[in-house]
Structure formats: C-alpha cells, structure tokens
Amino acid sequence: MSQETGRATGQELSAITVAMVTLHRRYYGKGPTEAKTYAINDTILCILKGGFTTVEQTLMADGKTEEVERIRRSFQKTMKDRFIDVIESTIDRHVIAYMSQVNTDPDVAVELFMLEPHAEKLLGEHEQSFDGEEVVEV
C-alpha cells in the first residue's frame, strides 16, 4: 500500500488478482477468464468470472445448480485460509472477515475481505483477462 496516498498500488492489486486466479486454477481445476480486484476503504473485493468446470457445467445443464453452488460454498470454506493469506501477505493488513459467494447464471464468484481498520483507507482497482491455461503475472 502506498504510504503517501493510502491507495493500494496497481502492483499489489494485480498480485491479488493473479493469486486468486492461480488458486482457483490449482484447486478447482479451472480458473476464471476475467478477474477484477477492488480496494475500497478497509475492504478488498475480488470478482471472478468464467470459472465453472466441465463437471459443474454438466450438472447445471441438468438443472442441478443448487448442488453446484453448495459444493462450491463448501470448498470455499476449505480454501478460506489460502485466500486470506494472499491478502495479508500482499498488502500487509490483517483480514478480520472473509465472505465468499458463487452465482451460476451469470458465472461469477465473489471473494470479499474485510480488513482490520486502519487510518489509511485503501482505494484502487485492477482488471485482467486470462487466456489459455497459463497465468502470467504483470
């Protein structure tokens, strides 16, 4: 975080975006094709689009969206510490709350991190598209 302005740097937000996509690809078997990370006051918000696996898409096509959402929510709880570690190690702020939600139509996941209050409020955003299977840090 830039000490002069309180803004989360583009480099920090890019690192968060890439790390979130990398975790999704590694542990879910498929990652998002688009991702945005926002820093607003004491909150980090990651919006991830296009990440359902072939199995999940097949289940949803068969009308089993509730099952897919339930499995995703359960797995997000398993991933909680990994997601929090990305935020804390990148911006050097303590996460006091983590919330995650998945939506099947449109295909989007949201990861929300509330940070310990700090005198310097954050502000910034980063957006990135991901082609193919390789995640390249910028």
Side-chain angles (χ1 to χ4, degrees):
M1 173 176 68
S2 172
Q3 297 302 322
E4 299 81 34
T5 65
R7 290 184 62 87
T9 67
Q11 186 175 21
E12 290 167 328
L13 294 176
S14 174
I16 290 169
T17 302
V18 170
M20 289 294 163
V21 170
T22 299
L23 284 172
H24 275 255
R25 286 188 175 178
R26 180 175 179 194
Y27 290 98
Y28 291 78
K30 183 177 185 294
T33 56
E34 295 177 42
K36 292 182 181 183
T37 300
Y38 299 93
I40 306 161
N41 297 327
D42 295 323
T43 304
I44 300 291
L45 174 66
C46 299
I47 300 173
L48 310 164
K49 296 179 181 178
F52 285 110
T53 66
T54 303
V55 169
E56 291 168 326
Q57 291 171 359
T58 302
L59 287 168
M60 290 184 297
D62 193 36
K64 297 178 178 153
T65 57
E66 287 182 28
E67 288 88 337
V68 171
E69 291 171 352
R70 187 180 70 250
I71 290 167
R72 276 288 178 123
R73 282 191 301 271
S74 176
F75 196 64
Q76 287 162 335
K77 289 177 185 175
T78 298
M79 295 296 294
K80 177 181 177 178
D81 290 341
R82 290 176 180 94
F83 288 150
I84 288 174
D85 185 55
V86 165
I87 304 303
E88 291 183 343
S89 65
T90 303
I91 61 171
D92 197 30
R93 295 270 302 271
H94 180 66
V95 173
I96 59 172
Y98 163 71
M99 291 158 264
S100 182
Q101 186 62 44
V102 64
N103 189 75
T104 56
D105 186 21
D107 176 352
V108 65
V110 176
E111 311 293 352
L112 178 82
F113 305 87
M114 294 182 66
L115 308 174
E116 187 171 57
H118 192 277
E120 294 291 330
K121 301 298 182 194
L122 297 175
L123 181 62
E125 69 178 81
H126 175 266
E127 181 175 358
Q128 190 165 342
S129 294
F130 297 88
D131 295 328
E133 294 300 316
E134 187 175 328
V135 176
V136 180
E137 290 193 49
V138 291

